[in-house]
Amino acid sequence: MDSILLKSYQAPRVPVSYQIWLQLVTKLEKDAGMDEIAELVNHDPGLVIKVLSVANSAFIGAGSGNEVSSVESALMRLGSNEIVRIVGMLAFQDTTTEGLPLYCLTQAEHIRHSVATAMLMAHFASHTSLTEGEAYTLGMICGMGRWFLQKTIRSQNIPLRPYSGPLLESFNWEEDVLHINHAEFASNTMRAFKLPRNLLDPLTYYVLPMNSPNPTSSGMLLHCSEQATREQLPSRASTNNLVAADWFLRYDTREQYAEFQKKSATVLASLGV
């Protein structure tokens, strides 16, 4: 299984839209201008069509006769952060077309979980040193670790029985069988895409955030958000929420933890999950 670990240090083959999204995330971190953002998105004609479709949708609030016809116009209307979010969502759909059969998850379940985690991260970003956009990105990337692991296992024809237990606890199965968990795998592969360090560190240890040499509120919040969204899949939920409770009691107050639980339910309900 040593080859699994070695593979995690190589950039996996992902759709062009996903590569563009990761580059956009890095450019936002460096305060890139709208021209640079537009140039990247325009590299993929299929992605441009999808971005314009979303930008002109009723969901965004666009009305008849007020449509945009270019990425540049969409950027002016929605701003760089929102365009990058839209690209991330579209890229995620392109990447996870078949879901996660290794974890007995459909594409719809995987996307729903990742978007819900990302929205919770953005909603509570003020509890961390991350911006709202960075927190959202971290939540979306969190869901890709299992996909990267599944893709690598398939490429090496390793016969494995699908995992169907509590999803937050899948790392035990991963480490027992593969000697690396999906969070570490995602962090290693994302280094190849030059993801910002402030996103890589919490991603590495979010499963067991207190194991980090330097525990951060970002990693703790990612753990809590992942846990909260998994509770929306009762048959796959973990019964242990002690780590989530421990963070809020250690860093904040019992009342703020209660607030997190209440707002989590509200945010997730708004997604229809």
Side-chain angles (χ1 to χ4, degrees), residues 8 12 18 92 95-96 100 102-103 110 113-114 138-153 170 174 178 180-190 203 206 226 230:
S8 73
Y18 198 84
F92 200 87
T95 306
T96 59
L100 290 175
L102 182 62
Y103 295 88
H110 189 206
H113 162 257
S114 297
L138 185 56
M140 286 293 289
I141 290 174
C142 170
M144 289 303 295
R146 294 184 178 94
W147 183 84
F148 288 141
L149 201 51
Q150 173 180 276
K151 185 177 178 65
T152 301
I153 288 170
S170 63
E174 294 162 350
L178 305 170
I180 186 171
N181 66 56
H182 66 273
E184 295 169 330
F185 200 91
S187 179
N188 289 341
T189 54
M190 285 301 174
L203 181 63
Y206 91 87
E226 161 90 349
R230 287 304 179 196

Side-chain angles (χ1 to χ4, degrees), residues 31-107:
D31 296 321
M34 286 190 177
D35 289 345
E36 291 182 77
I37 301 295
E39 182 181 1
L40 261 178
V41 176
N42 282 324
H43 280 168
D44 183 352
L47 182 59
V48 171
I49 292 171
K50 293 175 182 177
V51 167
L52 293 181
S53 177
V54 174
N56 288 322
S57 68
F59 177 77
I60 296 296
S64 179
N66 192 33
E67 295 86 358
V68 294
S69 56
S70 69
V71 172
E72 290 78 4
S73 297
L75 277 164
M76 291 296 293
R77 170 180 289 177
L78 302 175
S80 298
N81 283 319
E82 191 60 33
I83 289 296
V84 172
R85 275 195 198 189
I86 291 171
V87 171
M89 185 65 241
L90 295 171
F92 200 87
Q93 289 177 325
D94 289 344
T95 306
T96 59
T97 52
E98 64 170 344
L100 290 175
L102 182 62
Y103 295 88
C104 301
L105 281 179
T106 65
Q107 182 194 34

Side-chain angles (χ1 to χ4, degrees), residues 222-233:
L222 185 57
H223 174 94
C224 295
S225 298
E226 161 90 349
Q227 175 91 346
T229 56
R230 287 304 179 196
E231 297 301 330
Q232 300 303 309
L233 296 172

